[in-house]
């Protein structure tokens, strides 16, 4: 870690556990947690925890689940008696991003290279598919295009 931050900012449900601990944190790893919560919310239409602090019952349960080596998303769904109906690759990426231990989360490059991004999607009404992007060997990030072959060497 190059720089340790101590600032706390963001919405309570999206702030990484290490940020809320007050002991300093790696901003990149904290951002991966936030991305995981966003992905979880977009895919599943609810949040994995209310706040990543020990006083949140579901956060405590999530920590325990991960210590036991169980899949996070599938287990969270079981708490609400809901079926998990997305691909295994999507849940694999979400599980990696919402690791309660910052050092276990993937980097931005590892996320960009995750197989979920390369799974063919059904064609849309516009005819655009992920294959169009794959053929160009480009991945868009924050409005910029990143060459995936170059990203693999970063």
């Amino acid at each position: 870690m190059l720089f340790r931050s101590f600032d706390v900012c963001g919405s309570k449900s999206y702030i990484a556990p290490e940020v809320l601990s007050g002991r300093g944190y790696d901003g990149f790893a904290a951002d991966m947690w936030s991305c995981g919560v966003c992905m979880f919310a977009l895919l599943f239409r609810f949040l994995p925890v209310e706040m990543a602090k020990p006083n949140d019952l579901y956060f405590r349960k999530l920590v325990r689940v991960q210590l036991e080596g169980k899949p996070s998303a599938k287990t969270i769904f079981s708490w609400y008696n809901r079926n998990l109906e997305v691909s295994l690759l999507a849940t694999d990426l979400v599980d990696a991003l919402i690791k309660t231990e910052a050092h276990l989360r993937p980097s931005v490059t590892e996320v960009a290279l995750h197989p979920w991004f390369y799974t063919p999607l059904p064609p849309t009404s516009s005819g655009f598919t992920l294959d169009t992007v794959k053929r160009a060997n480009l991945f868009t990030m924050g409005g910029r295009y990143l060459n995936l072959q170059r990203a693999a060497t970063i």
Side-chain angles (χ1 to χ4, degrees):
M1 174 181 0
L2 298 173
F3 178 73
R4 202 159 184 77
S5 184
F6 290 88
D7 296 333
V8 176
C9 58
S11 301
K12 67 178 185 173
S13 297
Y14 298 86
I15 301 174
E18 63 274 15
V19 174
L20 295 170
S21 76
R23 295 187 302 256
Y25 60 92
D26 171 0
F28 294 109
D31 286 347
M32 291 298 93
W33 167 274
S34 300
C35 288
V37 173
C38 289
M39 185 176 177
F40 190 101
L42 288 168
L43 288 173
F44 309 133
R45 297 187 305 255
F46 70 100
L47 297 169
V49 297
E50 187 174 328
M51 187 184 304
K53 285 185 92 166
N55 62 348
D56 180 297
L57 170 67
Y58 291 106
F59 179 70
R60 286 194 315 268
K61 289 171 102 175
L62 181 60
V63 169
R64 189 171 42 248
V65 161
Q66 291 180 3
L67 287 173
E68 294 170 356
K70 296 179 182 173
S72 300
K74 184 176 181 179
T75 305
I76 291 168
F77 265 69
S78 74
W79 299 338
Y80 301 100
N81 295 318
R82 296 174 70 175
N83 292 325
L84 185 59
E85 297 176 359
V86 298
S87 74
L88 292 175
L89 288 174
T91 56
D92 178 67
L93 182 54
V94 167
D95 283 354
L97 290 167
I98 62 169
K99 291 288 186 196
T100 58
E101 294 293 327
H103 69 278
L104 297 176
R105 291 183 211 129
S107 68
V108 172
T109 302
E110 290 168 327
V111 170
L113 296 172
H114 190 278
W116 180 71
F117 284 107
Y118 306 102
T119 304
L121 298 173
T124 63
S125 58
S126 67
F128 177 81
T129 68
L130 189 59
D131 288 332
T132 309
V133 175
K134 283 194 323 190
R135 276 195 298 276
N137 198 29
L138 297 172
F139 179 78
T140 182
M141 245 177 167
R144 294 179 48 215
Y145 287 96
L146 174 69
N147 183 301
L148 290 176
Q149 290 175 336
R150 184 170 178 276
T153 64
I154 297 174

